[in-house]
Amino acid sequence: MTVLASAWPALIAVLLVAAGGKVRDVRGFAAAIGAYRVLPARLTGAAAVAVLSAEAAAAVLLAVPATRRWGALAAAALFAAFLGAMASVLRRGMVIDCGCFGSARRPAPVGAASMTRTALLLLLAAMAAVAGPAAYSPVRAVLAVVLLGAVAAVPRPRPGVAEPEAPPPAGPRPGTQFALNSAIGAPTVFALVSPACGLCRTMLPVFAEAASGRRVVLVSAAGEDAVRRHLDEHGAAGLPLVTDPDVYDANGIPWPPYVVVTDAAGTVLAAGGADTAPRFRALLQRAESAGANPAR
């Protein structure tokens, strides 16, 4: 019972850190929810506020012995919902930032590691629900730290190491026309980004570096001002930017960062998720092998 009763302090710490990261950038968290493509865009803001409120409420309920079991059940419901959303992303072959602790933190792609951490947190919530209103003790505080360490010990993907290729996602197919409300007129690498996407911000320097030998254009469904704020900070201020609110739906693009390489006529040579430099380079190589190198 001592181990079970040590779960609630660990849960409170996780929920408060998660809520704190999200409250610093609610719009960014809403964008992360939108990237999952499980809710209409108009509902992502309300969903972000609802998740943030639920995490804070669950932490408060866990802190009070009389309501601890309710807090544990609320936390369990949240983690179960997160697991379901992540499983949906993997089933569709998407590569997105999980948004688990808010967009201000280091990007963490949805994958085996994020699902394992969430499953362990769900287990902690179940443990707290079984233990109920157990009293606080120093021993349980130490065990709570151990439990937190077990969750944190789940390894993250190493930066710069390509993960196994995901199943082909929905999106523009080679040989089709890339629909964009802007003239193309030259071989182009279109990098679709979102201002609140942590993985997009990570990739901006990579896109900027690629522009030394090719025409690279950033594309966003958000307003120009929202995107430009991040370009200077990440060394991509010199890249041209096109904003088109319909670009995702018109081309069946499921997530940012996403890259579409076209020839001068706007015909797609290669397209796919570009959350890491190796994946981006692989897309460029596929475009070259399709018969055209998008050089200036």
Side-chain angles (χ1 to χ4, degrees), residues 36 75 105 142 215 220 274:
Y36 279 75
R105 293 179 61 87
V142 173
R215 182 174 185 250
S220 176

Side-chain angles (χ1 to χ4, degrees), residues 80-251:
F82 297 160
L83 270 177
M86 291 178 189
S88 172
V89 163
L90 295 180
R91 186 174 64 251
R92 287 175 284 162
M94 297 167 60
V95 182
I96 63 171
D97 184 358
C98 77
C100 303
F101 290 91
S103 64
R105 293 179 61 87
R106 181 161 64 92
V110 171
S114 63
M115 289 196 69
T116 300
R117 285 192 297 271
T118 306
L120 289 175
L121 293 173
L122 178 57
L123 176 60
L124 290 184
M127 292 165 58
V130 171
Y136 171 83
S137 74
V139 172
R140 287 170 181 160
V142 173
L143 286 175
V145 173
V146 173
L147 293 175
L148 283 174
V151 174
V154 176
R156 293 173 178 266
R158 288 180 295 165
V161 176
E163 297 178 4
E165 285 292 329
R173 294 185 177 182
T176 62
Q177 289 296 117
F178 182 50
L180 183 66
N181 293 335
S182 175
I184 295 177
T188 305
V189 177
F190 291 99
L192 289 95
V193 297
S194 169
C197 164
L199 290 172
C200 297
R201 293 196 290 271
T202 300
M203 288 299 297
L204 283 175
V206 179
F207 297 148
E209 181 181 357
S212 62
R214 7 180 102 71
R215 182 174 185 250
V216 178
V217 175
L218 299 179
V219 183
S220 176
E224 182 173 351
D225 291 343
V227 182
R228 291 269 179 214
R229 285 198 297 268
H230 298 285
L231 299 188
D232 285 332
E233 180 183 352
H234 296 280
L239 294 180
L241 172 66
V242 174
T243 58
D244 182 350
D246 300 319
V247 66
Y248 283 88
D249 291 337
N251 296 280

